[in-house]
Amino acid sequence: MENLALEGALTVTFVRSLFAHANIVDVDATAAEALPNVQVLTAADMDLGVFGPPPFPGVNPGMGRPLLAVDRVRFVGDIIAIVISDDRATGADAAELVSVDYDPLPAVVSPYEAAKDEVLLFPEVGTNVAARFGSPEHDEKLFGGCDVAVSGTLVSQRMAPCPLEPRSAAAELGPDGRITAWLSTQTPHQDRMVLAGTLGLDPAQVRVVGPDVGGGFGAKMLNVEEVLVVWLARRLGRPVRWTETRSESMVALPHGRAARLEFTLGGMRDGKVLAYRLEVLQDCGAYAVLGAFLPNLTGLMASGVYAIPRIEFESRSVVTNTTPISAFRGAGRPEASQVIERAIDTFAAELGMDPAEVRRRNFIPADAFPHTTASHAVYDSGDYEGALELALRSVGYDELRDEQRHRREQAATTQLGIGISCYVEITNGIAESEFGEVEITPDGGAIVRTGSFSHGQGHETTFAMIAAERLGLPVEKVTVHKGDTDEIAKGTGTYGSKSTQIGGAAARLAADDVLELAKQLVADYLEASPADIVLDPAVGRLHVAGDPSIGISWADLASRASADERLAELKAEHEFQAAPTFPFGAHVAVVEVDTETGRVELRRLVAVDDAGTLINPLIAEGQVHGGIATGVAQALYENFVYDDDGNPLTGTFVGYAFPSSADLPSWEAVEMETPTPLNALGAKGIGESGTIGATPAVHNAVVDALTPFGVRNVDLPANGENVWRALREAKA
Ligand code: MCN
């Protein structure tokens, strides 16, 4: 959007809070406005209410975020004022000159402290608790009949999404009074609705365009910054643009995870698990947005891949003086896998049993699908034991255990750790629908229009493949259009790895409809019955059944239909809705841990990820690779940290340990395909699988390496300092 040719565009710079919690006494913009063509706006100039993202069921609506901070700031990065200037450099200078008089308030950074309700972020609400899910009732008999019960805490630490391309937005008011917004987004159609709702406009007055986006990872949902850009373009009657700086992105783009998970898992000495209790304390940051709702998904997925007869779940989400928490690759589901997989390993260690064997004894069997878990998820299809056995064979599990035994006998300084994670996740979690349209072009190719959005996942290829296969066209003849609400009738966008199973399926159905329409047209031209027309998919030609010599190719059909002004007949749209699917897999990580320094080196990671039928195995593997990098980053590297006053300590790439490919080994991805019966493609989602599977495998591997030292857990990220601490504590 920075390079978009917009005649006379102004630049927006946000003045952000330097305090985590404070009353705003005064904002003095005199010095800033002395710079040429600079204008400064504050909440007093604002005629809009609180930003209204989609309401999440069960979340307190009284903890929403004002578009500009009114009287009070609640995190470092909260927006206090807007600087409008001719260019970025002047905007940055002017923002420095805006003088804000703060009256600091005590900050609450830890969710444990926030839960005490001593310092309130919203005194008028009377509590920091933004949402509660599950049941606070304890069944005293939950662990009745268990030989063994183990407990522990896992902190799924706060992560910054770090897209390499930060956010950018531009908006322009057209002569017809319609507003066009160019946004780095994952959800153009939803953004249009929320923008219209917030600005009090008819949705028809708003056009959203999502150009190429350099990574979203769940975080690039419409936020206050984009709403302000659009509001400004209307108010000023001039085009405006804003591009986030890296340091802004680190504190202002919503963060992910930030959940404390406490578990108790009970079962029999033979390894059979009988009961599981999970309590989640979710830090949702300064305002209750999506993050407050995510523990719901954690609770739904609590059972993991295991047939656990009794499950209790309870969660509280609390506001703290930190960056708001929202979706980040996996959003609520990684937390469920991380904790159940740690619990299973803790249980196995208590029993002195191989963690692979404990898993085998508890899997939901492959012939038990569809399966409803005690945490109320209805799994569509799966073969969890098959995935684990494939992963163990691929990694050479028995040989690795031999090597580990040898190093332990030698009391080697560098110990070997082998970690297993078996996961199941949910994609298209709230059973949404998606829109697809297919149209034949004058040259006999096709356009697929999808309401889904691709911000790096490659729909341009996979959705083209889906339509090409149905129509018997070469894939190069199919182009995919997305992201412009004026061109695409409707859509829900992309999150929760739902695009292929609903958007891809909708494109397939629309292609099938176009084929039927083409048969009617061909029948007209060949003076035959539509029922007798068939497609030869190998050559892309429609002909009379039994007589291929009487037929017409797509190119000839399109050309003749164009001449006859009948091309518009070769266009169809479809909306497809289906229940969630449940991709699954097994990851095995091998680490070396230096028991003197705590240094961890990830040697191997074998990943079996089953997303049903794969449309494009290469793209799916790429998704798994990127996903694993994020999962490993959480296991070993990243942690967004604040001091006790709510100042970010890791607000740049110098302090935030974002790994590069040079820090990571090559993954070994092993394909497995168990189709879902819920769509004609047989496809489930794969965009987040690698992330969900990898973290617990690596985490378990690090703990496994340290078992002989009496270590039962290492906090995430399980590297250097935390390993060293765990060793020290175990020794003490
Ligand atoms: N695919 C396939 N066969 C399947 C499933 C998927 O070939 N059975 C292909 C798809 O057609 C698509 C890709 O794999 O090209 C991912 O598809 P899908 O799993 O349906 O997920 P979405 O397209 O809905 O992607 C969303 C998901 C999420 S939620 C995040 S976050 C994410 C991700 O995918 N952010 C990404 N992948 C990312 N990849 C990049 N490069 N950048 C991001 O920001």
Side-chain angles (χ1 to χ4, degrees):
M1 277 51 90
E2 199 61 21
N3 302 326
L4 208 64
L6 287 173
E7 183 79 24
L10 297 167
T11 295
V12 170
T13 307
F14 295 113
V15 178
R16 294 184 181 272
S17 176
L18 303 175
F19 282 79
H21 202 192
N23 285 322
I24 304 168
V25 181
D26 184 43
V27 180
D28 182 356
T30 321
E33 289 189 321
L35 293 183
N37 298 334
V38 166
Q39 191 185 348
V40 178
L41 300 176
T42 65
D45 303 297
M46 171 64 56
D47 51 5
L48 301 174
V50 167
F51 173 56
F56 300 104
V59 176
N60 192 323
M63 295 175 172
R65 182 171 178 187
L67 285 157
L68 283 175
V70 183
D71 303 332
R72 186 185 270 231
V73 285
R74 295 186 180 82
F75 73 100
V76 171
D78 224 350
I79 304 176
I80 297 172
I82 308 169
V83 171
I84 295 132
S85 61
D86 288 338
D87 58 81
R88 265 172 88 90
T90 312
D93 287 347
E96 295 268 314
L97 292 173
V98 174
S99 160
V100 182
D101 187 3
Y102 300 93
D103 179 11
L105 295 165
V108 57
V109 175
S110 136
Y112 290 117
E113 292 304 314
K116 293 180 189 163
D117 279 344
E118 285 164 5
V119 173
L120 294 178
L121 272 74
F122 297 86
E124 62 285 8
V125 176
T127 175
N128 289 324
V129 179
R132 287 177 188 271
F133 300 106
S135 164
E137 309 277 311
H138 285 239
D139 176 358
E140 297 302 327
K141 299 199 202 81
L142 191 71
F143 296 98
C146 294
D147 294 339
V148 178
V150 292
S151 296
T153 301
L154 181 137
V155 179
S156 188
Q157 79 274 26
R158 180 181 276 265
M159 310 259 299
C162 301
L164 285 186
E165 180 186 288
R167 282 176 297 174
S168 193
E172 182 178 39
L173 189 63
D176 54 359
R178 289 184 80 225
I179 188 99
T180 300
W182 293 267
L183 307 177
S184 42
T185 179
Q186 305 177 195
T187 50
H189 288 83
Q190 293 198 31
D191 296 355
R192 180 177 63 156
M193 294 308 288
V194 178
L195 281 169
T198 312
L199 300 171
L201 299 172
D202 185 320
Q205 293 293 100
V206 183
R207 174 186 181 193
V208 173
V209 182
D212 286 342
V213 172
F217 309 108
K220 283 186 180 162
M221 306 282 178
L222 191 80
N223 216 318
V224 291
E225 288 86 352
E226 290 87 0
V227 179
L228 289 170
V229 165
V230 176
W231 173 73
L232 284 165
R234 281 176 54 80
R235 181 183 162 114
L236 303 171
R238 295 260 304 266
V240 293
R241 61 170 119 236
W242 164 72
T243 296
E244 191 173 53
T245 63
R246 172 61 59 199
S247 20
E248 221 179 353
S249 181
M250 293 301 282
V251 297
L253 184 68
H255 291 168
R257 313 279 189 269
R260 271 85 176 141
L261 305 118
E262 287 180 19
F263 68 83
T264 304
L265 186 86
M268 307 307 286
R269 290 237 155 256
D270 66 0
K272 189 79 193 133
V273 174
L274 295 181
Y276 181 47
R277 178 169 171 80
L278 178 61
E279 264 177 71
V280 179
L281 181 61
Q282 175 71 51
D283 174 357
C284 47
Y287 299 99
V289 285
L290 178 59
F293 176 76
L294 291 178
N296 229 329
L297 286 179
T298 311
L300 184 69
M301 296 311 295
S303 194
V305 290
Y306 310 108
I308 305 178
R310 301 191 295 269
I311 297 181
E312 260 186 21
F313 170 76
E314 179 191 357
S315 76
R316 277 173 309 159
S317 304
V318 294
V319 285
T320 60
N321 292 115
T322 59
T323 296
I325 294 290
S326 187
F328 173 54
R329 211 163 188 171
R333 296 101 87 208
E335 294 83 338
S337 286
Q338 289 165 12
V339 65
I340 185 73
E341 288 306 279
R342 206 65 279 296
I344 291 282
D345 262 33
T346 310
F347 183 61
E350 182 68 30
L351 300 180
M353 202 181 258
D354 185 317
E357 190 51 33
V358 172
R359 285 176 169 81
R360 281 186 196 109
R361 293 187 185 187
N362 290 287
F363 282 134
I364 296 161
D367 60 6
F369 293 91
H371 173 88
T372 304
T373 67
S375 51
H376 313 296
V378 186
Y379 295 170
D380 55 338
S381 63
D383 178 4
Y384 306 143
E385 182 159 12
L388 177 62
E389 298 307 339
L390 183 55
L392 295 179
R393 270 200 311 280
S394 308
V395 80
Y397 188 67
D398 294 339
E399 294 76 20
L400 285 166
R401 285 284 177 213
D402 287 344
E403 187 186 338
Q404 182 182 55
R405 202 170 303 118
H406 180 70
R407 289 206 203 185
R408 286 180 178 175
E409 283 161 7
Q410 303 289 307
T413 307
T414 303
Q415 288 288 327
L416 195 72
I418 307 151
I420 298 173
S421 132
C422 295
Y423 74 89
V424 55
E425 64 135 332
I426 180 171
T427 59
N428 190 29
I430 49 172
E432 285 176 278
S433 66
E434 194 52 276
F435 170 84
E437 182 180 81
V438 172
E439 175 183 353
I440 299 299
T441 54
D443 67 348
I447 292 171
V448 174
R449 294 193 182 84
T450 176
S452 184
F453 193 78
S454 184
H455 51 278
Q457 315 91 287
H459 298 172
E460 295 80 354
T461 304
T462 46
F463 284 27
M465 286 171 68
I466 289 167
E469 189 258 333
R470 300 310 289 172
L471 299 173
L473 283 169
V475 70
E476 316 77 71
K477 295 289 283 181
V478 183
T479 49
V480 177
H481 292 198
K482 47 93 178 144
D484 183 338
T485 60
D486 269 11
E487 186 191 344
I488 290 114
K490 49 185 144 169
T492 60
T494 286
Y495 43 87
S497 303
K498 68 192 175 82
S499 302
T500 310
Q501 62 198 286
I502 50 172
R508 176 187 155 118
L509 289 165
D512 286 347
D513 290 349
V514 163
L515 181 58
E516 288 311 308
L517 295 167
K519 285 179 183 170
Q520 285 172 24
L521 195 59
V522 171
D524 276 4
Y525 287 150
L526 301 182
E527 293 176 0
S529 157
D532 292 338
I533 305 297
V534 293
L535 172 75
D536 179 350
V539 292
R541 194 162 171 279
L542 294 119
H543 65 82
V544 173
D547 189 355
S549 68
I550 311 173
I552 183 165
S553 68
W554 281 112
D556 290 343
L557 178 65
S559 142
R560 192 162 164 188
S562 295
D564 297 346
E565 295 190 350
R566 294 187 68 183
L567 192 63
E569 290 174 29
L570 299 179
K571 179 174 172 177
E573 56 180 59
H574 217 108
E575 208 165 343
F576 180 74
Q577 195 253 342
T581 66
F582 293 82
F584 63 93
H587 288 199
V588 183
V590 184
V591 299
E592 284 186 332
V593 182
D594 184 321
T595 55
E596 285 173 358
T597 63
R599 185 170 191 279
V600 176
E601 187 165 334
L602 178 59
R603 243 177 54 178
R604 290 177 67 194
L605 196 146
V606 169
V608 174
D609 294 286
D610 190 324
T613 309
L614 295 178
I615 309 304
N616 182 323
L618 189 63
I619 285 196
E621 192 180 327
Q623 287 292 303
V624 168
H625 273 236
I628 293 175
T630 304
V632 171
Q634 178 164 20
L636 295 181
Y637 294 92
E638 297 180 28
N639 188 12
F640 200 96
V641 185
Y642 292 90
D643 71 10
D644 291 344
D645 295 322
N647 297 303
L649 299 179
T650 47
T652 69
F653 277 1
V654 177
Y656 188 74
F658 179 74
S660 78
S661 53
D663 300 307
L664 304 167
S666 291
W667 324 126
E668 299 157 60
V670 186
E671 258 177 47
M672 174 165 169
E673 293 179 74
T674 307
T676 177
L678 296 179
N679 62 66
L681 298 167
K684 307 181 184 186
I686 197 142
E688 295 159 292
S689 302
T691 304
I692 294 168
T695 312
V698 177
H699 191 191
N700 282 341
V702 175
V703 181
D704 180 61
L706 303 175
T707 309
F709 299 82
V711 171
R712 277 291 172 84
N713 188 39
V714 177
D715 287 338
L716 291 171
N719 204 352
E721 184 183 342
N722 284 336
V723 168
W724 185 80
R725 261 183 222 287
L727 278 167
R728 291 256 303 199
E729 275 164 27
K731 248 184 222 159

